[in-house]
Amino acid sequence: DAEELFLRFIRVYHEVLREADESAVKESGLPDVTINQFFYLQKIEEQGTTTLTALSTSLGVTKPTATAVVTKLVKDGFIIRERSREDQRIFHLTLSATGKGIIRLKQQTYRNFMKLVSSRVSPDELEVITEGFRLITGCFPEYEQKPVPNKTED
């Protein structure tokens, strides 16, 4: 049954990724973030310099909700908040070096998960998995984002 297999996949994926993520964070010396905080950091990276209004709109959350998360991320050193020179009422948000490091670390953890999967299946099975990802993501085009950059430099 597809529903049961999907739930099983989510459980296994979560456990494997959690263990890999804990290990990567420990080795890197970087602080960890929640998945929700990661989504904020990822969206800021995607947008480059952004504002709280643009960020909250793109994430589909209220401004007060975004303010609470951003305030914590600024306090923890993941985001830099700078007042606009043109309009003193506006603050620009960018990732700090630590925020960029977290993004790279999490993306590498996800890539390592796929490398692990690739090492445990045949090339034909990997193609089936890849096609499954295409089909699933194709069901939700409204959530499509630009590809995650495969970069190691700033």
Side-chain angles (χ1 to χ4, degrees):
D1 175 48
E3 291 174 8
E4 287 301 316
L5 275 174
F6 179 72
L7 292 174
R8 185 172 155 205
F9 165 76
I10 293 297
R11 282 191 301 272
V12 169
Y13 172 78
H14 174 73
E15 285 304 311
V16 170
L17 207 58
R18 183 187 56 75
E19 287 178 12
D21 192 47
E22 285 175 4
S23 175
V25 167
K26 187 176 179 180
E27 287 176 22
S28 74
L30 289 168
D32 202 6
V33 295
T34 67
I35 190 70
N36 190 47
Q37 290 170 325
F38 174 71
F39 288 140
Y40 275 73
L41 295 174
Q42 194 173 37
K43 189 58 80 171
I44 292 169
E45 180 192 47
E46 186 181 298
Q47 294 177 350
T49 299
T50 191
T51 63
L52 190 63
T53 300
L55 181 63
S56 64
T57 299
S58 68
L59 288 167
V61 298
T62 65
K63 235 173 135 177
T65 297
T67 298
V69 175
V70 166
T71 298
K72 172 121 176 69
L73 290 169
V74 168
K75 180 178 170 248
D76 291 344
F78 300 121
I79 296 175
I80 299 166
R81 180 173 29 203
E82 293 181 310
R83 188 178 299 271
S84 169
R85 291 185 182 131
E86 296 82 35
D87 185 341
Q88 296 293 303
R89 298 169 296 170
I90 296 175
F91 287 89
H92 295 287
L93 306 173
T94 56
L95 292 181
S96 68
T98 303
K100 290 175 185 177
I102 290 289
I103 291 287
R104 285 193 303 268
L105 181 69
K106 298 288 186 184
Q107 289 171 346
Q108 190 58 51
T109 300
Y110 298 148
R111 287 184 183 99
N112 288 345
F113 174 81
M114 282 310 303
K115 286 178 185 173
L116 180 62
V117 170
S118 298
S119 73
R120 294 181 178 206
V121 298
S122 72
D124 288 343
E125 290 169 324
L126 183 58
E127 185 53 42
V128 169
I129 292 168
T130 302
E131 185 58 28
F133 287 150
R134 278 192 202 102
L135 285 169
I136 291 169
T137 56
C139 290
F140 305 98
E142 66 272 24
Y143 295 101
E144 284 291 326
Q145 298 177 3
K146 63 183 180 179
V148 175
N150 188 8
K151 60 182 180 179
T152 55
E153 71 284 338
D154 283 330

